[in-house]
Amino acid sequence: MARGRVVEFDYYQFVQLLRRATDAGQRIDKGDPRWAEYVKANGINEVAATAIARQKFEGATPVIIAEGKDTDGLYFHSKNEEACLRLVFG
């Protein structure tokens, strides 16, 4: 599997994606039982991604969007800083 990297993602586009995923029941928060399953199934190095996100901004909140679309994946966002990062592969 290709190694993932954390890249900047448009915060306002993310807010729309998150709202859509939340409404559809496809938002996975850290405490959700589906979290570990998604991380394992997709080979995500959660520890490394989280460390990178915390270097970029304080209070990075992780969330997974799993709608079955190309926008699916692990995101880190900060409402205070209006910033978002996304883990991408390739």
Side-chain angles (χ1 to χ4, degrees):
M1 173 171 258
R3 186 174 165 169
R5 58 191 168 95
V6 178
V7 298
E8 290 186 28
F9 191 83
D10 181 80
Y11 177 76
Y12 300 101
Q13 182 180 355
F14 165 75
V15 170
Q16 291 176 346
L17 291 173
L18 186 62
R19 187 173 296 126
R20 183 179 73 199
T22 300
D23 291 346
Q26 300 305 313
R27 171 185 176 162
I28 304 173
D29 291 306
K30 183 82 170 159
D32 190 308
R34 298 175 293 168
W35 182 276
E37 183 180 309
Y38 186 92
V39 168
K40 184 177 180 181
N42 290 281
I44 295 173
N45 185 338
E46 183 182 353
V47 173
T50 301
I52 292 168
R54 286 189 178 149
Q55 288 176 352
K56 297 279 187 179
F57 48 80
E58 292 182 29
T61 303
V63 66
I64 292 171
I65 294 177
E67 299 178 291
K69 301 181 183 219
D70 62 347
T71 53
D72 284 4
L74 175 60
Y75 293 82
F76 295 90
H77 62 100
S78 172
K79 187 175 182 178
N80 292 340
E81 298 178 51
E82 295 185 344
C84 180
L85 299 171
R86 179 181 182 196
L87 178 65
V88 296
F89 297 94

